[in-house]
Amino acid sequence: MIDALKQRARQLKTQVHALSIAYRDPRTPFTAKVWTALVVGYALSPIDLIPDMIPVLGYLDDLLLIPLGIWVALRLIPDDVLADARAHAAQHPADAPPLRWFAALGIVALWIVGIGLLLNWVL
């Protein structure tokens, strides 16, 4: 069972790497790029829709929303682009992009602006 989970985690890591390669490909449609950016932003964001402190439900959004978002992103990307990206990701696993701190700060800034706009609208 543990080996199966490790294998699944490696496959997911390769899929995310392929997704990042496909995101940078000029043949990828704009809608797929926007969706991919949202999914990656949510995955890297320290703020969740359901806080992780809430038992069971806190991790449910991570276990359901992120894989669902990746699945939708993979469906939005054309097959030929995705095949090229998967081939590149399989051949060059060490090329996985490192976490960019400025990107993480940008995501946090977007959350802060979004919460501010929501509070301004509600109040």
Side-chain angles (χ1 to χ4, degrees), residues 43-84:
L44 296 177
S45 175
I47 301 171
D48 289 338
L49 291 177
I50 303 170
D52 291 341
M53 298 179 302
I54 298 173
V56 180
L57 292 177
Y59 292 105
L60 195 60
D61 67 332
D62 293 335
L63 292 173
L64 292 176
L65 291 180
I66 294 172
L68 180 65
I70 290 171
W71 180 79
V72 170
L74 291 172
R75 298 293 177 256
L76 291 173
I77 297 171
D79 292 336
D80 57 334
V81 174
L82 195 53
D84 292 345

Short mmCIF file of all heavy atoms in Angstrom, two decimals, residues 43-84:
data_model
loop_
_atom_site.label_atom_id
_atom_site.label_comp_id
_atom_site.label_asym_id
_atom_site.label_seq_id
_atom_site.Cartn_x
_atom_site.Cartn_y
_atom_site.Cartn_z
N ALA A 43 -2.82 25.88 -4.81
CA ALA A 43 -2.02 24.83 -4.20
C ALA A 43 -0.88 25.41 -3.36
O ALA A 43 -0.54 24.87 -2.31
CB ALA A 43 -1.46 23.89 -5.27
N LEU A 44 -0.28 26.49 -3.83
CA LEU A 44 0.83 27.11 -3.11
C LEU A 44 0.39 28.11 -2.05
O LEU A 44 1.19 28.51 -1.22
CB LEU A 44 1.76 27.82 -4.10
CG LEU A 44 2.47 26.93 -5.11
CD1 LEU A 44 3.29 27.79 -6.06
CD2 LEU A 44 3.35 25.92 -4.41
N SER A 45 -0.86 28.50 -2.10
CA SER A 45 -1.35 29.52 -1.19
C SER A 45 -1.42 29.01 0.25
O SER A 45 -1.86 27.89 0.50
CB SER A 45 -2.75 29.96 -1.63
OG SER A 45 -3.29 30.86 -0.69
N PRO A 46 -0.99 29.84 1.19
CA PRO A 46 -1.12 29.44 2.59
C PRO A 46 -2.55 29.57 3.11
O PRO A 46 -2.85 29.12 4.20
CB PRO A 46 -0.18 30.41 3.31
CG PRO A 46 -0.16 31.61 2.44
CD PRO A 46 -0.31 31.11 1.03
N ILE A 47 -3.42 30.16 2.32
CA ILE A 47 -4.81 30.35 2.72
C ILE A 47 -5.68 29.36 1.95
O ILE A 47 -5.63 29.30 0.73
CB ILE A 47 -5.27 31.79 2.44
CG1 ILE A 47 -4.37 32.77 3.21
CG2 ILE A 47 -6.73 31.98 2.82
CD1 ILE A 47 -4.58 34.22 2.85
N ASP A 48 -6.48 28.57 2.67
CA ASP A 48 -7.37 27.59 2.07
C ASP A 48 -8.82 28.06 2.20
O ASP A 48 -9.14 28.89 3.05
CB ASP A 48 -7.24 26.23 2.76
CG ASP A 48 -5.93 25.54 2.47
OD1 ASP A 48 -5.31 25.86 1.45
OD2 ASP A 48 -5.55 24.68 3.27
N LEU A 49 -9.68 27.49 1.38
CA LEU A 49 -11.11 27.78 1.52
C LEU A 49 -11.63 27.27 2.86
O LEU A 49 -12.43 27.91 3.52
CB LEU A 49 -11.90 27.13 0.38
CG LEU A 49 -11.69 27.72 -1.00
CD1 LEU A 49 -12.47 26.94 -2.04
CD2 LEU A 49 -12.09 29.18 -1.02
N ILE A 50 -11.16 26.09 3.25
CA ILE A 50 -11.50 25.51 4.55
C ILE A 50 -10.19 25.38 5.32
O ILE A 50 -9.30 24.65 4.89
CB ILE A 50 -12.17 24.12 4.39
CG1 ILE A 50 -13.42 24.23 3.52
CG2 ILE A 50 -12.53 23.54 5.75
CD1 ILE A 50 -14.00 22.89 3.12
N PRO A 51 -10.04 26.08 6.45
CA PRO A 51 -8.78 26.03 7.19
C PRO A 51 -8.41 24.60 7.59
O PRO A 51 -9.28 23.79 7.93
CB PRO A 51 -9.04 26.89 8.43
CG PRO A 51 -10.21 27.74 8.07
CD PRO A 51 -11.02 26.96 7.08
N ASP A 52 -7.11 24.30 7.54
CA ASP A 52 -6.63 22.96 7.87
C ASP A 52 -6.84 22.60 9.34
O ASP A 52 -6.75 21.44 9.71
CB ASP A 52 -5.15 22.82 7.51
CG ASP A 52 -4.92 22.83 6.01
OD1 ASP A 52 -5.90 22.57 5.27
OD2 ASP A 52 -3.79 23.08 5.59
N MET A 53 -7.13 23.60 10.17
CA MET A 53 -7.36 23.34 11.60
C MET A 53 -8.65 22.56 11.83
O MET A 53 -8.80 21.91 12.85
CB MET A 53 -7.43 24.66 12.37
CG MET A 53 -6.14 25.46 12.32
SD MET A 53 -6.25 27.01 13.21
CE MET A 53 -7.62 27.81 12.38
N ILE A 54 -9.60 22.65 10.91
CA ILE A 54 -10.87 21.95 11.06
C ILE A 54 -10.63 20.48 10.75
O ILE A 54 -10.20 20.14 9.64
CB ILE A 54 -11.94 22.55 10.13
CG1 ILE A 54 -12.19 24.00 10.49
CG2 ILE A 54 -13.23 21.74 10.20
CD1 ILE A 54 -13.09 24.74 9.55
N PRO A 55 -10.90 19.59 11.71
CA PRO A 55 -10.63 18.16 11.49
C PRO A 55 -11.36 17.63 10.26
O PRO A 55 -12.49 17.99 9.99
CB PRO A 55 -11.15 17.50 12.76
CG PRO A 55 -11.19 18.58 13.78
CD PRO A 55 -11.44 19.85 13.03
N VAL A 56 -10.72 16.81 9.52
CA VAL A 56 -11.18 16.12 8.32
C VAL A 56 -11.49 17.10 7.19
O VAL A 56 -10.91 17.02 6.11
CB VAL A 56 -12.39 15.20 8.60
CG1 VAL A 56 -12.84 14.50 7.33
CG2 VAL A 56 -12.07 14.19 9.68
N LEU A 57 -12.40 18.04 7.39
CA LEU A 57 -12.79 18.97 6.34
C LEU A 57 -11.65 19.87 5.91
O LEU A 57 -11.58 20.29 4.76
CB LEU A 57 -13.97 19.83 6.79
CG LEU A 57 -15.30 19.11 6.96
CD1 LEU A 57 -16.35 20.07 7.48
CD2 LEU A 57 -15.74 18.47 5.68
N GLY A 58 -10.74 20.16 6.84
CA GLY A 58 -9.62 21.04 6.53
C GLY A 58 -8.72 20.51 5.45
O GLY A 58 -8.19 21.25 4.63
N TYR A 59 -8.52 19.20 5.43
CA TYR A 59 -7.68 18.59 4.41
C TYR A 59 -8.48 18.10 3.21
O TYR A 59 -7.92 17.78 2.18
CB TYR A 59 -6.86 17.43 5.00
CG TYR A 59 -5.84 17.92 5.99
CD1 TYR A 59 -6.02 17.76 7.34
CD2 TYR A 59 -4.70 18.59 5.54
CE1 TYR A 59 -5.08 18.23 8.24
CE2 TYR A 59 -3.77 19.07 6.43
CZ TYR A 59 -3.96 18.88 7.79
OH TYR A 59 -3.04 19.36 8.67
N LEU A 60 -9.79 18.04 3.35
CA LEU A 60 -10.64 17.56 2.27
C LEU A 60 -10.54 18.45 1.04
O LEU A 60 -10.51 17.96 -0.09
CB LEU A 60 -12.09 17.47 2.75
CG LEU A 60 -13.05 16.68 1.90
CD1 LEU A 60 -12.56 15.24 1.77
CD2 LEU A 60 -14.43 16.71 2.49
N ASP A 61 -10.45 19.77 1.25
CA ASP A 61 -10.33 20.65 0.08
C ASP A 61 -9.02 20.41 -0.64
O ASP A 61 -8.97 20.44 -1.86
CB ASP A 61 -10.51 22.12 0.47
CG ASP A 61 -9.39 22.66 1.35
OD1 ASP A 61 -8.78 21.86 2.08
OD2 ASP A 61 -9.15 23.87 1.29
N ASP A 62 -7.94 20.15 0.10
CA ASP A 62 -6.66 19.86 -0.54
C ASP A 62 -6.69 18.52 -1.27
O ASP A 62 -6.08 18.37 -2.33
CB ASP A 62 -5.53 19.83 0.49
CG ASP A 62 -5.27 21.21 1.09
OD1 ASP A 62 -5.60 22.21 0.43
OD2 ASP A 62 -4.78 21.27 2.23
N LEU A 63 -7.37 17.56 -0.71
CA LEU A 63 -7.43 16.23 -1.32
C LEU A 63 -8.37 16.15 -2.51
O LEU A 63 -8.23 15.27 -3.35
CB LEU A 63 -7.83 15.19 -0.27
CG LEU A 63 -6.82 14.93 0.83
CD1 LEU A 63 -7.40 14.01 1.89
CD2 LEU A 63 -5.55 14.32 0.26
N LEU A 64 -9.33 17.06 -2.58
CA LEU A 64 -10.30 17.03 -3.67
C LEU A 64 -10.11 18.16 -4.68
O LEU A 64 -10.09 17.93 -5.89
CB LEU A 64 -11.73 17.10 -3.12
CG LEU A 64 -12.19 15.88 -2.33
CD1 LEU A 64 -13.58 16.11 -1.77
CD2 LEU A 64 -12.19 14.64 -3.20
N LEU A 65 -9.97 19.39 -4.20
CA LEU A 65 -9.94 20.53 -5.11
C LEU A 65 -8.68 20.59 -5.96
O LEU A 65 -8.75 20.88 -7.15
CB LEU A 65 -10.08 21.83 -4.31
CG LEU A 65 -11.44 22.08 -3.67
CD1 LEU A 65 -11.45 23.40 -2.93
CD2 LEU A 65 -12.54 22.06 -4.72
N ILE A 66 -7.53 20.32 -5.36
CA ILE A 66 -6.29 20.42 -6.13
C ILE A 66 -6.22 19.33 -7.21
O ILE A 66 -5.97 19.64 -8.37
CB ILE A 66 -5.07 20.42 -5.20
CG1 ILE A 66 -5.09 21.72 -4.37
CG2 ILE A 66 -3.77 20.31 -5.99
CD1 ILE A 66 -4.06 21.79 -3.28
N PRO A 67 -6.46 18.05 -6.87
CA PRO A 67 -6.46 17.05 -7.95
C PRO A 67 -7.54 17.32 -9.01
O PRO A 67 -7.30 17.12 -10.20
CB PRO A 67 -6.72 15.72 -7.23
CG PRO A 67 -6.24 15.95 -5.84
CD PRO A 67 -6.55 17.39 -5.56
N LEU A 68 -8.70 17.79 -8.58
CA LEU A 68 -9.76 18.12 -9.54
C LEU A 68 -9.32 19.28 -10.44
O LEU A 68 -9.53 19.24 -11.66
CB LEU A 68 -11.05 18.48 -8.81
CG LEU A 68 -12.24 18.85 -9.69
CD1 LEU A 68 -12.67 17.64 -10.51
CD2 LEU A 68 -13.39 19.36 -8.85
N GLY A 69 -8.68 20.27 -9.85
CA GLY A 69 -8.17 21.39 -10.64
C GLY A 69 -7.10 20.96 -11.63
O GLY A 69 -7.08 21.42 -12.77
N ILE A 70 -6.22 20.07 -11.20
CA ILE A 70 -5.18 19.54 -12.10
C ILE A 70 -5.84 18.76 -13.23
O ILE A 70 -5.46 18.88 -14.38
CB ILE A 70 -4.17 18.68 -11.32
CG1 ILE A 70 -3.32 19.57 -10.40
CG2 ILE A 70 -3.27 17.89 -12.25
CD1 ILE A 70 -2.46 18.81 -9.43
N TRP A 71 -6.84 17.96 -12.90
CA TRP A 71 -7.54 17.17 -13.91
C TRP A 71 -8.18 18.08 -14.97
O TRP A 71 -8.06 17.84 -16.17
CB TRP A 71 -8.59 16.28 -13.24
CG TRP A 71 -9.36 15.44 -14.19
CD1 TRP A 71 -8.97 14.28 -14.77
CD2 TRP A 71 -10.68 15.71 -14.69
NE1 TRP A 71 -9.96 13.79 -15.58
CE2 TRP A 71 -11.01 14.65 -15.55
CE3 TRP A 71 -11.60 16.72 -14.47
CZ2 TRP A 71 -12.24 14.60 -16.20
CZ3 TRP A 71 -12.81 16.66 -15.12
CH2 TRP A 71 -13.11 15.61 -15.98
N VAL A 72 -8.84 19.15 -14.51
CA VAL A 72 -9.47 20.08 -15.45
C VAL A 72 -8.40 20.77 -16.31
O VAL A 72 -8.56 20.91 -17.53
CB VAL A 72 -10.33 21.13 -14.70
CG1 VAL A 72 -10.80 22.24 -15.63
CG2 VAL A 72 -11.53 20.45 -14.06
N ALA A 73 -7.30 21.18 -15.68
CA ALA A 73 -6.21 21.83 -16.43
C ALA A 73 -5.66 20.90 -17.49
O ALA A 73 -5.41 21.32 -18.63
CB ALA A 73 -5.11 22.27 -15.47
N LEU A 74 -5.49 19.62 -17.16
CA LEU A 74 -4.98 18.66 -18.13
C LEU A 74 -5.96 18.45 -19.28
O LEU A 74 -5.56 18.19 -20.41
CB LEU A 74 -4.68 17.32 -17.45
CG LEU A 74 -3.49 17.33 -16.48
CD1 LEU A 74 -3.42 16.01 -15.72
CD2 LEU A 74 -2.20 17.62 -17.19
N ARG A 75 -7.25 18.60 -19.01
CA ARG A 75 -8.26 18.46 -20.07
C ARG A 75 -8.31 19.69 -20.98
O ARG A 75 -8.70 19.60 -22.13
CB ARG A 75 -9.65 18.22 -19.47
CG ARG A 75 -9.79 16.95 -18.66
CD ARG A 75 -9.66 15.74 -19.56
NE ARG A 75 -9.71 14.51 -18.80
CZ ARG A 75 -8.65 13.75 -18.50
NH1 ARG A 75 -7.45 14.10 -18.88
NH2 ARG A 75 -8.77 12.64 -17.82
N LEU A 76 -7.93 20.85 -20.45
CA LEU A 76 -7.98 22.08 -21.23
C LEU A 76 -6.79 22.22 -22.18
O LEU A 76 -6.85 22.96 -23.16
CB LEU A 76 -8.02 23.30 -20.30
CG LEU A 76 -9.31 23.50 -19.51
CD1 LEU A 76 -9.14 24.64 -18.51
CD2 LEU A 76 -10.48 23.78 -20.44
N ILE A 77 -5.70 21.53 -21.86
CA ILE A 77 -4.49 21.64 -22.67
C ILE A 77 -4.60 20.67 -23.85
O ILE A 77 -4.97 19.51 -23.67
CB ILE A 77 -3.25 21.32 -21.81
CG1 ILE A 77 -3.12 22.38 -20.70
CG2 ILE A 77 -1.99 21.29 -22.66
CD1 ILE A 77 -2.09 22.05 -19.67
N PRO A 78 -4.28 21.13 -25.07
CA PRO A 78 -4.34 20.23 -26.24
C PRO A 78 -3.47 18.99 -26.05
O PRO A 78 -2.42 19.04 -25.41
CB PRO A 78 -3.82 21.10 -27.38
CG PRO A 78 -4.02 22.51 -26.92
CD PRO A 78 -3.88 22.49 -25.43
N ASP A 79 -3.92 17.88 -26.64
CA ASP A 79 -3.23 16.60 -26.47
C ASP A 79 -1.78 16.62 -26.94
O ASP A 79 -0.91 16.06 -26.29
CB ASP A 79 -3.99 15.49 -27.21
CG ASP A 79 -5.34 15.19 -26.55
OD1 ASP A 79 -5.48 15.47 -25.35
OD2 ASP A 79 -6.22 14.68 -27.26
N ASP A 80 -1.52 17.28 -28.07
CA ASP A 80 -0.14 17.30 -28.57
C ASP A 80 0.79 18.09 -27.65
O ASP A 80 1.93 17.70 -27.41
CB ASP A 80 -0.08 17.84 -30.01
CG ASP A 80 -0.68 19.23 -30.15
OD1 ASP A 80 -1.55 19.60 -29.33
OD2 ASP A 80 -0.27 19.95 -31.07
N VAL A 81 0.30 19.18 -27.10
CA VAL A 81 1.09 19.97 -26.16
C VAL A 81 1.35 19.17 -24.89
O VAL A 81 2.47 19.13 -24.37
CB VAL A 81 0.39 21.31 -25.82
CG1 VAL A 81 1.14 22.08 -24.74
CG2 VAL A 81 0.21 22.15 -27.06
N LEU A 82 0.31 18.51 -24.41
CA LEU A 82 0.44 17.72 -23.19
C LEU A 82 1.38 16.53 -23.39
O LEU A 82 2.19 16.22 -22.51
CB LEU A 82 -0.95 17.23 -22.76
CG LEU A 82 -1.07 16.70 -21.34
CD1 LEU A 82 -0.54 17.70 -20.33
CD2 LEU A 82 -2.51 16.37 -21.06
N ALA A 83 1.33 15.90 -24.56
CA ALA A 83 2.23 14.77 -24.85
C ALA A 83 3.68 15.25 -24.87
O ALA A 83 4.56 14.59 -24.30
CB ALA A 83 1.85 14.12 -26.17
N ASP A 84 3.93 16.40 -25.50
CA ASP A 84 5.29 16.94 -25.52
C ASP A 84 5.75 17.29 -24.11
O ASP A 84 6.90 17.04 -23.74
CB ASP A 84 5.36 18.19 -26.41
CG ASP A 84 5.16 17.88 -27.88
OD1 ASP A 84 5.24 16.69 -28.26
OD2 ASP A 84 4.91 18.83 -28.66
#
